[in-house]
Amino acid sequence: MRRTYAKFVSLALIACMAIVLAACGNSSSNNNDSTATGANDSKTGATANATNESTNDSTKDTASSADKPAEPVTLTLNAQYSAPDEKLSLDYAIAKIKEVLPNVTLEIQPANADDGTQKLKVQAATGDLPDIFGVTPEIIDLFNKSGDIVQLDGNPDIEDFKSKVSPGMIDSELMYKGHIYALPIFGSFSVVWYYNKDVFAANNVKVPTNYDELTAAVKAFTAKGIVPVAMFAKEPWPIGAYLDSFIMRTNPGSTSDFSNGVAKASDPGYKEGIEKAAALIKLGIFQKGATSTDYDSARAIFNSGKAAMLINGDWETPDGITAIGADKLGILNYYPGADAGKEDVNKYAMAGGGGVGGYALSAKTKDKALGMKVLALLAYYQGEGRYVKGGHTDVIIKTDGLTPENPLPEITKALAADQSNFIYKSNFNHSLPSAFSKPFGEYLQNLVAGQSADKFISDTDKLIASLKK
Amino acid sequence: MKHGMASRSAVLIFTLPAILLFTVFVMYPLAQTFYRSFFDWDGLTPGTFIFLDNFKEILHDPIFYTSLYNGLFFAVILTIFQFVLGSFLAFALYDHKIFGKKLLRISYFIPVILSVTVVCQLWMSIYSSQYGLLNKIFESIGISYRQDWLSDSHLAIFAVISVAGWQSMGFMFALIYTAIKSVPEHYFEAAKLEGATKFQIHTKITIPLLAETYRMCLMFSVVGGLNAYGQVVLMTNGGPGTSTATLTFAMFRSAYSLDRFGYGCATAVMLVLECLICILIINKLVARERITF
């Protein structure tokens, strides 16, 4: 009985081993196949390319395997996909990619509007990065060091994309430390002060052109229970841009100078700007609860007519027009932070800026050749969608031959006309090194929460000094 | 002898899975956290051994002290909130004359089963300075007490703690209520025969007999307060500035916002030590004698 039992168990174990080994063998063979696919130019990509020769130049050299049907491929994409404007351009790009590569499906993982980089860092640490994701220079440095990002130089699809980029933007927006790590959609953004013409007219308030007029407008609106400026101070960058609106009118530099130790908050010009900004905060320029107000909520306050002004990037224009109408939405010609009579000083200095960033490819993506092809198509077509569908002029690609579906709004045209005069000496808080931007963002929130300008200046100076060590 | 060995083997066999799971999911990460706290590490690359430098830096970091204070404050207020309200409701519901006991019991427990995200969204809209219910209530009864609940550096921590207390109070209520129900009825009957009032019965009999339950509740609320994170990150993200940061939040901030995982691990070690000290003190001082009915 015992022997029979032993034999039975032995046979069962041998059978299990055989099944396991067979499964391993099969898996290994699959791996080899997929490795070969990845190492050479992907069969799936090549097939898809060949079927779309007429629509994409980069497909011409890979038509040999067109007779074999392409296997379906799903790539994960971490991208901004919450505002209507973001959805419009990304949906456009995905539809275009589907035409070129019908076998490729892009699965969107919407990025957090507040701080998407945290999620990416966790995903990198757990080896779970999406195939394609949006990056900042800081993330490029971090992931390049850890080997989580693909260097894109030399790939024909990437070179093809590069040839479609406006020449003036290649060095400033595409190349980073001599290499290409990410493909951007847009160039420099301008942070502008939008205003609701109706709200100003209905309350008989003059649209401000200098600090005195702005102070008068803030007093007039707060007295009538209207929010002078809707602010989403849950994120630090709009507060930084607000501060820059004052600093840059008296000083060619900006808060970005603090991050690299070029200037201190207590330096002349900077200090006055901070004090002006803080004085208006005390007067109630922002709505109550600004530091817990997010992007969408602040826009809703402005769009509903409960706020007279909104500080945001110029990407807001199409959504703003949709919400309140082209005839009601205005942009202040320049920041109203200058003293009376000095309105023309530094009037083209703009908060915002741009720089390197955009979509990058994970080093762990299975088929890098296909990944780069999709990356190039995505960056190009999202830029095209942004211009054609959204009417944005801030795209990095050449727009010759492209026509926006709707005529460009007058305020966009006016902004675009001044574009060549604009001087960008600032940057978004989240684009600065995190060792500076995180604590500085917290100080900015403290300022909005009512902390004194002196405390803000002393905290910032201490931070600058600590980073110099 | 043989029986003893077999018993030991059985104990080993039955406890091994639990020990293995505990080691893999608790002890190993804890050991890793201690080990990594000695490194200058960004979470992705190998890192550099710097021994105690992270701890030296923590002792000079103002956010550490803000977080330490907030955590302790959180624990104290949460404990008072949960103990006082939880006990009051449990004692009130134990009274036989209360109508609709089942409905009340369920409604007190509902916040516990709600997701922290849902609860925070709900309270954020109640706290909203612009359209919030709380300010509207003050307005409607003619009190000009409109507050910037979540954006005021001093008020925000109270607002967050209240939400945490509101959500977890039902759990404490359930524990205390169950413990009261487990006290033999004849103790109360004897007291009644002796002419004791309800207040006297609860203060002289019920509460002393619940000492062990209260010790457990105390541990839960103190550790829960020190570890507070969900409500903080969802409602204020530690702000305005760092005014509502707790040690757990500071740990996350260092690791994921500043890419300083080594420093974040050192903060976590401080948090673990803080919790251990609090538990040791509670065990040493509260309900040391075992109560049997």
Side-chain angles (χ1 to χ4, degrees), chain A residues 153-421:
Chain A
D153 315 47
N155 176 278
D157 295 304
I158 302 300
E159 291 302 319
D160 182 49
F161 173 79
K162 193 175 167 184
S163 69
K164 293 170 183 168
V165 170
S166 302
M169 295 202 181
I170 290 175
D171 285 337
S172 61
E173 314 288 327
L174 193 63
M175 304 301 290
Y176 184 64
K177 297 181 179 174
H179 298 286
I180 303 173
Y181 293 98
L183 306 185
I185 312 297
F186 20 70
S188 293
F189 289 121
S190 307
V191 175
V192 293
W193 290 46
Y194 290 97
Y195 70 99
N196 186 324
K197 292 176 186 173
D198 272 9
V199 174
F200 272 88
N203 293 284
N204 204 22
V205 177
K206 186 179 184 297
V207 177
T209 57
N210 57 44
Y211 186 70
D212 292 343
E213 288 174 4
L214 179 62
T215 307
V218 170
K219 284 178 180 168
F221 284 126
T222 47
K224 293 182 177 186
I226 294 167
V227 175
V229 174
M231 167 59 68
F232 44 105
K234 198 172 180 185
E235 296 177 51
W237 76 258
I239 322 171
Y242 165 75
L243 215 56
D244 279 340
S245 301
F246 296 91
I247 292 174
M248 295 171 88
R249 293 312 313 272
T250 51
N251 191 317
S254 70
T255 52
S256 300
D257 297 340
F258 303 153
S259 72
N260 46 29
V262 170
K264 293 200 307 260
S266 55
D267 285 348
Y270 296 91
K271 188 170 182 258
E272 288 77 26
I274 293 166
E275 282 170 346
K276 279 180 175 177
L280 289 178
I281 291 171
K282 295 271 184 212
L283 277 180
I285 191 169
F286 304 136
Q287 77 279 9
K288 278 191 176 293
T291 58
S292 53
T293 306
D294 63 16
Y295 182 75
D296 290 331
S297 306
R299 292 163 77 228
I301 294 170
F302 177 69
N303 291 340
S304 63
K306 291 190 170 71
M309 291 175 273
L310 170 75
I311 296 175
N312 201 354
D314 55 352
W315 59 78
E316 174 66 17
T317 303
D319 285 348
I321 288 173
T322 308
I324 68 169
D327 53 332
K328 292 178 187 171
L329 186 70
I331 291 178
L332 299 187
N333 289 336
Y334 34 81
Y335 300 136
D339 291 331
K342 293 182 179 172
E343 289 86 350
D344 284 340
V345 179
N346 292 329
K347 71 175 184 179
Y348 289 121
M350 293 300 282
V356 175
Y359 289 126
L361 186 67
S362 166
K364 291 189 175 64
T365 196
K366 280 180 190 159
D367 188 338
K368 292 191 180 62
L370 177 66
M372 283 196 237
K373 184 176 290 298
V374 173
L375 194 68
L377 291 171
L378 178 69
Y380 179 78
Y381 283 125
Q382 193 169 353
E384 187 178 291
R386 195 170 164 77
Y387 181 75
V388 174
K389 290 273 179 185
H392 290 280
T393 55
D394 54 20
V395 294
I396 190 175
I397 57 167
K398 295 171 197 161
T399 52
D400 314 333
L402 297 174
T403 314
E405 282 183 4
N406 297 311
L408 290 177
E410 288 305 315
I411 54 173
T412 304
K413 280 186 196 165
L415 206 62
D418 271 341
Q419 191 77 36
S420 56
N421 297 318

Side-chain angles (χ1 to χ4, degrees), chain A residues 118 121-122 289 291-292 442 445, chain B residues 148 151 241 253 256-257 259:
Chain A
Q118 287 181 358
K121 287 173 195 169
V122 178
T291 58
S292 53
E442 289 159 357
Q445 272 202 336
Chain B
D148 222 356
S151 297
R253 175 186 177 272
Y256 294 99
S257 298
D259 302 327

Side-chain angles (χ1 to χ4, degrees), chain A residues 118 121-122 124-125 138 142-143 145-146 287-292 301 306 434 438 442 445-446 449, chain B residues 42-45 63 124 129-131 148 150-151 153 234 239-242 252-253 256-259:
Chain A
Q118 287 181 358
K121 287 173 195 169
V122 178
E138 193 176 13
L142 187 66
F143 286 6
K145 209 162 75 174
S146 62
Q287 77 279 9
K288 278 191 176 293
T291 58
S292 53
I301 294 170
K306 291 190 170 71
S434 59
K438 183 66 186 169
E442 289 159 357
Q445 272 202 336
N446 284 335
Chain B
D42 61 13
L44 295 173
T45 49
I63 293 167
M124 277 162 76
S129 315
Q130 294 287 308
Y131 319 104
D148 222 356
L150 293 173
S151 297
S153 308
L234 286 164
T242 52
F252 190 88
R253 175 186 177 272
Y256 294 99
S257 298
L258 300 173
D259 302 327

Side-chain angles (χ1 to χ4, degrees), chain B:
Chain B
M1 181 68 186
K2 197 178 173 187
H3 178 75
M5 284 299 285
S7 166
R8 256 184 244 170
S9 304
V11 167
L12 192 69
I13 287 166
F14 285 116
T15 55
L16 200 62
I19 291 171
L20 274 176
L21 286 173
F22 187 76
T23 308
V24 170
F25 292 108
V26 179
M27 294 314 291
Y28 177 70
L30 204 60
Q32 272 284 329
T33 305
F34 271 85
Y35 174 66
R36 290 290 179 182
S37 67
F38 301 129
F39 283 79
D40 179 16
W41 180 47
D42 61 13
L44 295 173
T45 49
T48 315
F49 184 76
I50 52 168
F51 194 39
L52 291 172
D53 285 4
N54 282 329
F55 293 95
K56 286 179 195 161
E57 194 183 332
I58 278 181
L59 296 176
H60 295 98
D61 188 347
I63 293 167
F64 171 69
Y65 292 103
T66 308
S67 308
L68 196 67
Y69 170 79
N70 281 342
L72 290 169
F73 189 62
F74 214 109
V76 170
I77 302 289
L78 198 65
T79 304
I80 295 170
F81 197 104
Q82 291 178 337
F83 265 51
V84 173
L85 261 179
S87 299
F88 176 77
L89 293 174
F91 284 124
L93 234 62
Y94 184 69
D95 194 322
H96 297 291
K97 289 174 192 158
I98 297 285
F99 177 73
K101 280 166 90 168
K102 200 172 177 184
L103 182 73
L104 288 171
R105 237 179 19 228
I106 293 168
S107 57
Y108 295 151
F109 199 73
I110 282 177
V112 180
I113 57 168
L114 291 178
S115 143
V116 68
T117 316
V118 173
V119 167
C120 289
Q121 287 295 335
L122 174 81
W123 277 93
M124 277 162 76
S125 63
I126 291 173
Y127 283 141
S128 167
S129 315
Q130 294 287 308
Y131 319 104
L133 179 70
L134 202 54
N135 280 341
K136 293 278 177 202
I137 289 173
F138 285 121
E139 213 173 272
S140 64
I141 55 174
I143 301 172
S144 58
Y145 191 68
R146 285 180 72 87
Q147 293 295 320
D148 222 356
W149 299 103
L150 293 173
S151 297
D152 184 299
S153 308
H154 305 292
L155 270 181
I157 189 77
F158 284 101
V160 175
I161 297 172
S162 304
V163 175
W166 177 82
Q167 189 179 12
S168 54
M169 186 274 295
F171 182 61
M172 293 297 161
F173 157 78
L175 289 177
I176 297 166
Y177 184 74
T178 316
I180 299 173
K181 294 274 274 183
S182 68
V183 176
E185 191 73 19
H186 58 82
Y187 283 26
F188 302 126
E189 283 165 10
K192 273 182 202 167
L193 287 174
E194 293 292 329
T197 61
K198 267 184 195 169
F199 182 76
Q200 284 172 323
I201 291 172
H202 287 321
T203 49
K204 303 282 182 191
I205 299 173
T206 323
I207 292 177
L209 288 178
L210 297 187
E212 279 190 52
T213 306
Y214 275 122
R215 185 183 62 177
M216 195 171 63
C217 291
L218 188 63
M219 275 196 245
F220 281 140
S221 53
V222 167
V223 173
L226 296 175
N227 276 319
Y229 177 73
Q231 289 90 357
V232 172
V233 79
L234 286 164
M235 296 181 77
T236 60
N237 202 21
T242 52
S243 61
T244 53
T246 55
L247 274 182
T248 327
F249 181 85
M251 174 187 77
F252 190 88
R253 175 186 177 272
S254 304
Y256 294 99
S257 298
L258 300 173
D259 302 327
R260 299 188 64 197
F261 275 72
Y263 191 74
C265 287
T267 313
V269 169
M270 300 299 271
L271 178 65
V272 170
L273 292 177
E274 189 190 15
C275 289
L276 280 176
I277 290 168
C278 287
I279 288 187
L280 282 174
I281 292 171
I282 292 168
N283 274 331
K284 195 88 182 160
L285 300 179
V286 183
R288 293 180 64 191
E289 285 173 25
R290 188 154 179 80
I291 297 164
T292 46
F293 303 132

